[in-house]
Amino acid sequence: MEKELLHIKNLTVEFKNENTYHKAVDHISFSLNKGQILGIVGESGSGKSVTSMAVMKLLSQPPAKISSGEIIFNTATSTCDILKLSETEMRKIRGNQIGMIFQEPMTSLNPVMKCGKQVMEALLLHQSLTKNQAREKTIALFADVFLPQPETVFEKYPHELSGGQKQRVMIAMAISCNPSLLIADEPTTALDVTVQKTILQLIKTLQQKYNMSVIFITHDLGVVAEIADNIAVMYKGQIVEHGNAKEIIQSPQHPYTKGLMACRPTMEKRLEKLPTVGDFVTDEANFVFKEVTVENRKAIHKDIYSRKPILEIQNLEVDFVTKRNILGKTISAFKAVKNISFDVYEGETLGLVGESGCGKTTLGRSILQLIESSDGRIIYKGQNLTELSASRMRQLRRKLQIIFQDPYSSLNPRINIGNAITEPMKVHNLYNNDRQRKQKAIELLERVGMNESQFLRYPHEFSGGQRQRICIARTLALNPELIICDESVSALDVSVQAQVLNLLNELKKDFNFTYIFISHDLSVVKFMSDRMIVMQKGEIVEMGESDAIYKNPKSEYTRKLISSIPGLV
């Protein structure tokens, strides 16, 4: 019989808000055996990360309060209740017998310390090693997690590495002391699907190599289905479904689990509207999955492509200077966008897909002249944007808007959301007075699924999905004609992502927007777009109708993107 490594009994965690406590985790119980992977799945706010923080004893008390429960951890030599350990005792376990990988490696790594020294620090703290021994083991760990040129990475700072490489450094640090338990808290969120796949494979390989137990936390059932032995589904602080991973994926019992599975865009068919968790939890029986027929798609395309292009990109190139001489003259440059040409038609959604570094975001920003192009033409309604003055471009930018990936960094934390929406109207002299602008802002908030009572609240008071809705409302305030969505749903839970994608499609119908939709996730791009451009290393490797590209991809790179999409099989 397999040895039980971790057993959580009747755990309840509450957080104080003013004078009342609210349950974030509500009487949950589960166990994890040695050498197994448990996937904990749920939306933001479901309690999954709070559970992991309780296991690591990282919850600040107050505002957190553990009002009941036990966390029994069976080490090789002893058994203890983590909740009863002193901080000194817990330090001997945390980072040593229990390792943790956090969601955002850049905020977890010290930006002013070289990556190698950060891993060495953990080794020197918990193991009796000399500095030379710690250095050698760190380089070996970097090799274990397949970092290229481990000795070179040892000397680099976090900002010099890609997102996937930073996450590998975090994994190396987490496994440095050969822990019995590894907790991975959303380790692949917002990573490219190809990088995500390699990280999942890496965690599985290391788990088998070191015979670790793993708690893998995610909002995406498709991700956890790839590596977990068992799954626990959390909803509103409770475990609503728990059991064998394959059985849950093949035959989910709880409506919430069914909703999580259904809200991810499917590659096999195109739905008119994505299902959301709410459709299942509130009224599962009455929800109808309406599929867009081939005939409907042809009718839409015939209407769209009979018009003149609203935007024409002709031989566009963007260079980034990598080295200058003492006089400021360019010695060398990196070509991020290479001789790209395509048209965008009024009323269509053109998808732009590829991994980080392929040039898709640079292309999107150069279209809006937020980044200067080095060659080529950008024709918008007959005007070459590369030849316009800065003042004329500012006027025109009212019609050309962008929705960024991170809504929190897009909003000023010191300005309430009402002012954030009315401010662009003031800049462009829209409406006669502040009263009219406020009324328009309220209408826009309601249009994106929010309400007037939230007008005076600040960005930190909202969830990620709500903040993205606020950014969409701010974009709508200027009545734009072309909107570039730059990874605008990449960091959202799959359930919230479905809501935002549906909203963007509804707004497109109502206002006849034209979208350029940028993402690393081909399944999302396929759901949203009429046509699709696949980019690699600054070049277009494939372009055509979205469904046709999925059914018959011409390039090996496109096939790689398709195979990297997490599947519920």
Side-chain angles (χ1 to χ4, degrees), residues 11-17 19-26 50 54 59-69 83:
L11 179 68
T12 300
V13 182
E14 299 178 278
F15 283 87
K16 190 173 184 179
N17 183 13
N19 296 321
T20 58
Y21 278 94
H22 299 275
K23 288 181 181 178
V25 173
D26 188 5
V50 173
L59 293 172
S60 299
Q61 302 184 49
K65 180 178 76 171
I66 297 176
S67 49
S68 74
L83 298 180

Side-chain angles (χ1 to χ4, degrees), residues 135-154:
R135 178 187 172 86
E136 288 175 8
K137 184 164 183 181
T138 297
I139 291 171
L141 284 165
F142 284 173
D144 272 357
V145 298
F146 303 107
L147 278 165
Q149 300 177 310
E151 294 87 353
T152 304
V153 173
F154 186 97

Side-chain angles (χ1 to χ4, degrees), residues 346-384:
E346 185 178 352
E348 85 163 324
T349 299
L350 177 69
L352 212 54
V353 66
E355 297 172 283
S356 295
C358 72
K360 59 188 188 297
T361 291
T362 300
L363 174 58
R365 296 187 182 195
S366 65
I367 290 171
L368 299 184
Q369 294 294 280
L370 299 174
I371 294 175
E372 188 177 347
S373 54
S374 53
D375 200 3
R377 288 154 53 90
I378 303 167
I379 310 296
Y380 174 73
K381 288 191 167 181
Q383 299 181 81
N384 186 354

Side-chain angles (χ1 to χ4, degrees), residues 8 22 25-26 28 34 94 137 169 202 235 280 288 307 310 328-329 333 348 368 397 414 462 491 496 560 568:
I8 293 181
H22 299 275
V25 173
D26 188 5
I28 68 166
K34 181 74 175 174
R94 190 190 300 129
K137 184 164 183 181
V169 171
L202 174 61
Y235 177 55
F280 287 83
V288 178
R307 310 170 191 172
I310 191 174
K329 186 178 178 180
E348 85 163 324
L368 299 184
R397 204 168 273 133
R414 298 182 180 181
F462 297 94
V496 179
K560 178 186 172 185
L568 293 169

